Amino acid sequence: MSDVALFLFGSFFLLLFLNMPIAIALGLSTAATLLVFDLPLQALPSTLYSAMAKFTLLAIPFFFLAGLILERAGISRRLIHLAQTLTGHYTGGMAIVAVVAACFFAAISGSGPATMAAVGAIIIPAMVKQGYRKDMSAGLLATAGGIGIIIPPSIAYIVYGVISEVSIGKIFVAGIIPGLVMGLILALTSYFIAKRERIPTLPKASKKEIFLALKDAIWGLMAPVIILGGIYSGIFTTTESAVVAVFYGLIVGVFVYKEISFKQIPAILLDSAKTTAMVMLIVAAASSFAWLITVEGIAEDLAHSLMSIAPGPILMLLMINVILLIAGMFVDAISAYYIFLPIFLPIIAAMNIDPIHFGVMMTMNLAIGLVTPPVGLDLYVACGLAKISLKEISIGVIPFIVASLIALMLITYIPSITLWLPQLLQMK
């Protein structure tokens, strides 16, 4: 490895070790490398600007805003109640409700932490009241929150599509079945845990109760239909669908459910702006890091080194998964895309691995990173909601991490799970 690569990655991990925010660590390590090795520092501002000045990335703030609006409108509460009437009477019913509700809200929010916060704030106390352990409840919700970046619309898929230049609409379609597979495996794991621990079930809901819950939640269920249906039918682009989602959320929240007042809208806009600013800072800093490892040939050298170690696609995909699982313990998904895709994209092209399949695999892997210590964002959110320590939740989350790894292996080595739906819809 060259001196530039050693200094760049060494300074980056040193800054992470010093508990520096990821965006600052990426930006400072890049700038320091440019200065120390007398590289063109003047290229940095234009790189930062060009990374953010992309039309497709406009979808990110709008999806964040739409998720906030729909959550404040009471959508998550209604979706949880509907799921409860449908599955609450089965063994592990409340845990299954948590997974189903996470899948529902994932199809609205596009964000793992947002899904976790919206669903977990309601379902974790309900699960504990039902007899589930706090660490198990929080661990399940933290893991299920990761489905928020697997099932479309997904902020992660938008970033992957921008970097790899693949169709965002196609990867949105491709992510549906893998997200449901992960949800199914988490639900089965919850069922066996509940059966072993003899958790009591809820009374079976009547047909009338199911109908009323469905009627109350129908506006929430329509949100992903409108968002994703508009994209797949070609009525609007991904960015335009995010804007449509915002206006749909406002109509539902203000005029239908009447849980949002006009006085609350500025606060919602401010919260969305804060989250967007944080994400775009990461995008800018990570893109400068990716630019440096590309122009200096570091990505190419690392790609050749990996291909010499694992010459076939089976071993290569296993190695990439291990690398990403370790990276997910320290960096967020967006940063990981910018750091690793310049290295991995030439490899998957050389080995004829479909970039859509690879994108879903990588995203699922990074979703697991949301619940792996020491920097698992969803773990910290779940700790706050359940009022338990990181040590406690780290024990409760283990069965669900194992379940997620099983789902990851299925998606990695059976590409048809990912590619069947885009091929069925003849998407290009």
Side-chain angles (χ1 to χ4, degrees):
M1 188 179 289
S2 68
D3 291 342
V4 174
L6 286 171
F7 185 87
L8 177 65
F9 284 101
S11 58
F12 170 63
F13 284 111
L14 176 61
L15 290 168
L16 282 184
F17 179 75
L18 295 173
N19 206 26
M20 194 72 69
I22 183 72
I24 305 301
L26 287 165
L28 281 181
S29 59
T30 304
T33 304
L34 292 172
L35 284 170
V36 169
F37 291 92
D38 198 25
L39 297 172
L41 187 62
Q42 64 271 19
L44 191 56
S46 60
T47 303
L48 294 171
Y49 174 77
S50 61
M52 294 184 289
K54 294 178 179 177
F55 177 75
T56 308
L57 291 179
L58 277 175
I60 292 177
F62 284 111
F63 274 129
F64 275 136
L65 180 57
L68 273 175
I69 291 171
L70 289 166
E71 194 276 325
R72 302 283 173 86
I75 295 291
S76 56
R77 186 179 71 252
R78 289 171 169 86
L79 292 177
I80 289 170
H81 179 58
L82 173 62
Q84 194 171 317
T85 61
L86 295 173
T87 65
H89 59 285
Y90 294 111
T91 300
M94 281 299 293
I96 296 171
V97 166
V99 176
V100 172
C103 291
F104 275 146
F105 202 79
I108 297 172
S109 71
S111 165
T115 300
M116 167 67 220
V119 177
I122 301 171
I123 201 72
I124 290 177
M127 288 181 67
V128 172
K129 184 179 179 181
Q130 190 68 25
Y132 293 87
R133 301 191 322 270
K134 267 192 178 184
D135 64 328
M136 181 265 182
S137 305
L140 171 62
L141 262 295
T143 313
I147 298 174
I149 65 170
I150 302 171
I151 291 180
S154 165
I155 303 300
Y157 288 153
I158 294 170
V159 175
Y160 178 84
V162 169
I163 299 171
S164 61
E165 298 181 348
V166 301
S167 165
I168 293 174
K170 187 174 181 180
I171 197 171
F172 270 16
V173 173
I176 295 174
I177 295 179
L180 295 177
V181 167
M182 186 169 177
L184 176 62
I185 293 177
L186 288 176
L188 286 172
T189 304
S190 302
Y191 167 82
F192 288 116
I193 292 174
K195 188 173 183 179
R196 184 190 66 195
E197 298 185 2
R198 299 181 179 179
I199 305 295
T201 61
L202 295 174
K204 185 175 182 179
S206 65
K207 290 182 179 179
K208 182 179 180 181
E209 287 173 324
I210 295 173
F211 173 76
L212 291 175
L214 177 62
K215 181 181 177 182
D216 196 32
I218 192 68
W219 291 97
L221 295 174
M222 286 298 294
V225 174
I226 293 171
I227 296 167
L228 301 178
I231 296 172
Y232 304 154
S233 63
I235 296 174
F236 36 70
T237 65
T238 304
T239 305
E240 291 165 346
S241 73
V243 179
V244 170
V246 170
F247 281 96
Y248 177 82
L250 284 173
I251 292 170
V252 171
V254 176
F255 300 107
V256 179
Y257 290 150
K258 298 180 180 178
E259 294 202 17
I260 298 177
S261 66
F262 286 105
K263 291 181 179 180
Q264 293 175 295
I265 293 176
I268 294 173
L269 291 171
L270 181 60
D271 287 346
S272 176
K274 289 177 181 177
T275 307
T276 300
M278 178 181 67
V279 170
M280 296 312 292
L281 180 61
I282 293 173
V283 167
S287 65
S288 67
F289 190 96
W291 165 79
L292 184 55
I293 66 173
T294 302
V295 298
E296 286 299 308
I298 299 170
E300 186 178 356
D301 292 342
L302 290 173
H304 286 310
S305 299
L306 289 174
M307 291 177 72
S308 65
I309 297 171
I314 294 176
L315 283 177
M316 178 56 71
L317 288 174
L318 180 61
M319 182 184 294
I320 288 174
N321 273 322
V322 171
I323 292 170
L324 290 174
L325 284 169
I326 294 171
M329 296 179 182
F330 302 97
V331 300
D332 62 281
I334 294 173
S335 302
Y337 287 132
Y338 280 97
I339 295 170
F340 292 104
L341 279 178
I343 302 170
F344 293 155
L345 287 175
I347 295 175
I348 67 171
M351 294 190 171
N352 293 317
I353 298 170
D354 191 291
I356 295 293
H357 167 231
F358 183 80
V360 174
M361 182 203 86
M362 185 173 182
T363 302
M364 179 173 283
N365 196 309
L366 296 171
I368 298 172
L370 290 169
V371 291
T372 49
V375 194
L377 180 58
D378 279 6
L379 282 186
Y380 290 99
V381 176
C383 283
L385 294 172
K387 295 180 175 59
I388 59 175
S389 67
L390 183 63
K391 181 180 178 180
E392 289 175 296
I393 195 174
S394 295
I395 296 171
V397 80
I398 290 173
F400 304 110
I401 291 179
V402 173
S404 299
L405 291 173
I406 293 171
L408 175 62
M409 290 299 101
L410 289 174
I411 299 308
T412 299
Y413 291 111
I414 310 177
S416 57
I417 296 175
T418 302
L419 300 175
W420 175 76
L421 194 54
Q423 290 168 352
L424 179 68
L425 299 177
Q426 299 181 341
M427 299 192 73
K428 298 181 180 179

